[in-house]
Amino acid sequence: MKITIVDYKSGNISSVINSFKEVAKDQVNLEVTSDIKKIQSSDKIVLPGQGSFKSCVDALKKINGLVDTLNEFTISKKKPLLGICVGLQMFADIGYEEIETKGLGWISGKVSKINNQNGKYKLPHIGWNQIKIVKDSKIFKDIDNNSHMYFVHSFEFIPQDKNVILATTDYSSKIVCAVEKENIFGAQFHPEKSDKIGLKIIDNFINL
Amino acid sequence: MLKNRIIPCLDVKNGRVVKGINFVDLKDAGDPVEQAKIYSDGGADEICFLDITASNENRDTIYDVVKETSKKCFVPLTVGGGVRSVEDIYKLLSCGADKVSINTAAVQNAEVVLESSKKFGSQCIVVAIDAKKNENRWEVFTHGGRNNSGIDVLEYAKQMEENGAGELLVTSMDRDGTQVGYDIDLMSKISSKVNIPVIASGGVGNLDHLVDGIKLGKASAVLAASIFHYGKYSVKEAKEYLDSKGIPVRI
């Protein structure tokens, strides 16, 4: 199997690479690239994302043909993709970080700043929080409800269709932290930094 | 519910840990990678490396340490010490650090925080503040505590938040190494002043100090070095103690 971690120069992805290497060992042919041809021939894709919604979307667009290739991979061919953090947020139609910016539009919804209730909650939401699993998914195989995951973000994805929500986490309100729509998976938390339980999620994605 | 974090910190010099962990099963007391792994296996919520390498020639050793650690530890890794430029931050991040802490450079050149938080995201920019009390206020010290900038700590903290820092790592120089507890007054004042998480550092001698740092100092995370290094307490014991005191921790 060939899995590609999309490297579109959106910040630091070495932790994502290391965690996939750790889990995949030698069973998976792991590529880290933005090469269109290599992405097209992959079986699965990981879309990381750090920094702002706008900077990530801009970085994707900067690479010629990348957005079209991702669209074809996920929407036409329906092959599995995992978005992490801003990688998940970009599934939305629109994001409001820095300036109103169009997303990939794969899962209808918007990305807005977490309501910190006038400073009652610190932002970014940094640290370990429990996830409440609201829907069964292959990605959560052998993951207990209320497991701790590592978060670091100030914006949240609010999907239109609540049926795509797999899990939420409690911080000021119920924040959507995992989604699934057909072949598209997303985690707001960082499985690559969430210790053994996070690595299990990566393992589940590899073994989908 | 978001949990309070416990962050063990390792001082690294020329690629070796200066104050080692006292564990019987440790093969090499000076190996930072091995020690970080012990901490992460023991439930540390993050690992912090402070590079105290004196000379520039040996700077590259920290990159190797970060590279190796990030292959073995799957919890966040913060690296600080001697970070001078956006380029330094980039290098550490690409070696596998998840966050970089900036101290002297943030005082000398505000651009470093502004530019790096914009470029890499606030989530990976930690501003480290060394604070020392002077009459009725605290002042920011630089160069490992050698130089007094004369800048008011509370105003500086607010400024760093505005410049894009994702977190503040606040060390009380008056308390550092004393083992009498965090400077609670300082921590709570800073924490009330800013809307970003504050990590308390400097002065921990027992587990009640960690409790106070969170309960009274309102810190989101507590950092400690020597209580863990010398095997006085394990990270697990610390977490169980905090839990018994009603503080939310990841167990």
Side-chain angles (χ1 to χ4, degrees):
Chain A
M1 186 180 16
K2 194 175 144 192
I3 297 184
T4 297
I5 298 171
V6 185
D7 180 12
Y8 58 104
K9 311 290 170 221
S10 79
N12 173 25
I13 61 168
S14 42
S15 290
V16 176
I17 300 167
N18 285 334
S19 62
F20 269 81
K21 276 189 186 155
E22 171 76 13
V23 177
K25 303 278 188 230
D26 300 325
Q27 302 154 13
V28 175
N29 178 4
L30 195 66
E31 289 268 7
V32 182
T33 182
S34 63
D35 185 295
I36 305 291
K37 285 212 175 71
K38 284 184 176 162
I39 293 174
Q40 283 168 337
S41 67
S42 299
D43 300 298
K44 285 173 189 160
I45 281 183
V46 182
L47 185 64
Q50 279 196 352
S52 75
F53 186 94
K54 184 182 182 297
S55 68
C56 285
V57 171
D58 286 350
L60 272 186
K61 284 185 182 161
K62 228 183 201 166
I63 297 165
N64 221 342
L66 181 57
V67 172
D68 289 341
T69 304
L70 292 175
N71 278 331
E72 190 193 315
F73 189 93
T74 50
I75 305 301
S76 315
K77 293 189 175 161
K78 300 229 173 282
K79 290 204 248 179
L81 176 141
L82 173 66
I84 299 172
C85 197
V86 185
L88 149 82
Q89 294 179 1
M90 286 193 295
F91 296 171
D93 302 311
I94 198 153
Y96 294 98
E97 189 167 1
E98 287 182 56
I99 186 170
E100 196 176 300
T101 308
K102 262 184 132 173
L104 294 163
W106 293 342
I107 301 182
S108 267
K110 61 177 181 176
V111 174
S112 327
K113 192 156 195 177
I114 296 169
N115 178 359
N116 73 346
Q117 300 182 17
N118 290 323
K120 196 176 155 206
Y121 290 85
K122 302 232 170 208
L123 289 181
H125 171 217
I126 297 186
W128 296 82
N129 208 333
Q130 285 166 297
I131 61 163
K132 191 162 181 60
I133 300 174
V134 295
K135 198 172 160 186
D136 267 346
S137 168
K138 282 182 184 165
I139 206 97
F140 285 149
K141 184 174 174 274
D142 298 327
I143 303 282
D144 290 334
N145 194 21
N146 296 317
S147 290
H148 286 95
M149 298 291 173
Y150 186 77
F151 287 83
V152 48
H153 64 127
S154 300
F155 284 73
E156 59 173 326
F157 176 40
I158 303 167
Q160 229 164 48
D161 178 5
K162 303 299 172 207
N163 282 319
V164 300
I165 300 170
L166 291 183
T168 60
T169 193
D170 209 7
Y171 193 68
S172 139
S173 65
K174 281 194 178 107
I175 289 171
V176 174
C177 67
V179 295
E180 175 180 351
K181 185 186 171 190
E182 299 174 24
N183 52 314
I184 305 170
F185 298 85
Q188 178 60 65
F189 52 84
H190 290 267
E192 77 277 14
K193 286 281 121 185
S194 296
D195 218 343
K196 292 176 191 77
I197 197 90
L199 296 185
K200 179 63 191 154
I201 290 188
I202 290 170
D203 185 50
N204 288 342
F205 178 71
I206 291 172
N207 290 306
L208 272 182
Chain B
M1 182 184 230
L2 183 65
K3 302 301 159 74
N4 292 104
R5 286 167 283 157
I6 293 190
I7 308 173
C9 179
L10 291 161
D11 287 356
V12 181
K13 190 176 181 182
N14 302 334
R16 306 287 290 170
V17 172
V18 179
K19 294 176 245 173
I21 311 176
N22 261 344
F23 283 127
V24 276
D25 56 350
L26 202 63
K27 286 185 214 83
D28 175 0
D31 179 15
V33 184
E34 202 184 341
Q35 300 204 5
K37 183 85 174 83
I38 287 177
Y39 283 147
S40 83
D41 286 347
D45 295 308
E46 290 185 30
I47 307 287
C48 181
F49 284 148
L50 181 62
D51 183 23
I52 53 168
T53 301
S55 67
N56 278 325
E57 296 90 76
N58 290 326
R59 266 256 71 97
D60 285 349
T61 56
I62 193 69
Y63 298 120
D64 294 332
V65 167
V66 172
K67 260 185 212 160
E68 286 313 304
T69 306
S70 72
K71 283 179 196 160
K72 289 178 180 151
C73 292
F74 298 95
V75 298
L77 174 65
T78 304
V79 185
V83 177
R84 288 178 178 80
S85 62
V86 175
E87 175 67 16
D88 289 347
I89 298 167
Y90 175 74
K91 267 200 239 165
L92 285 168
L93 291 175
S94 41
C95 289
D98 298 289
K99 308 180 201 180
V100 174
S101 87
I102 314 165
N103 192 328
T104 302
V107 178
Q108 291 177 332
N109 179 9
E111 282 297 316
V112 175
V113 177
L114 278 165
E115 198 185 325
S116 59
S117 62
K118 203 154 188 168
K119 202 162 179 173
F120 312 116
S122 288
Q123 85 287 338
C124 62
I125 304 300
V126 180
V127 169
I129 305 175
D130 288 344
K132 198 176 170 128
K133 194 149 195 181
N134 186 1
E135 292 176 15
N136 295 324
R137 65 174 205 158
W138 292 271
E139 288 170 342
V140 180
F141 278 65
T142 61
H143 299 89
R146 287 191 297 277
N147 298 355
N148 184 1
S149 72
I151 298 169
D152 181 86
V153 164
L154 294 178
E155 280 167 29
Y156 179 72
K158 192 71 196 163
Q159 188 63 47
M160 289 301 115
E161 176 184 19
E162 282 162 14
N163 287 1
E167 282 179 288
L168 299 177
L169 166 56
V170 182
T171 304
S172 158
M173 287 172 55
D174 304 300
R175 298 298 177 90
D176 205 25
T178 63
Q179 308 225 336
V180 297
Y182 296 116
D183 184 339
I184 295 300
D185 195 21
L186 168 70
M187 299 305 161
S188 67
K189 282 208 168 79
I190 292 193
S191 193
S192 307
K193 182 97 180 172
V194 298
N195 285 320
I196 52 177
V198 170
I199 305 163
S201 157
V204 177
N206 62 46
L207 299 180
D208 280 312
H209 294 152
L210 300 178
V211 174
D212 292 345
I214 293 164
K215 274 198 172 164
L216 308 174
K218 303 192 194 90
S220 301
V222 281
L223 181 137
S226 51
I227 59 161
F228 297 130
H229 294 324
Y230 299 117
K232 197 169 172 185
Y233 305 102
S234 67
V235 174
K236 188 168 174 280
E237 282 166 340
K239 288 187 138 183
E240 283 167 354
Y241 188 74
L242 262 60
D243 181 56
S244 76
K245 296 288 173 183
I247 291 176
V249 284
R250 174 181 68 115
I251 288 184

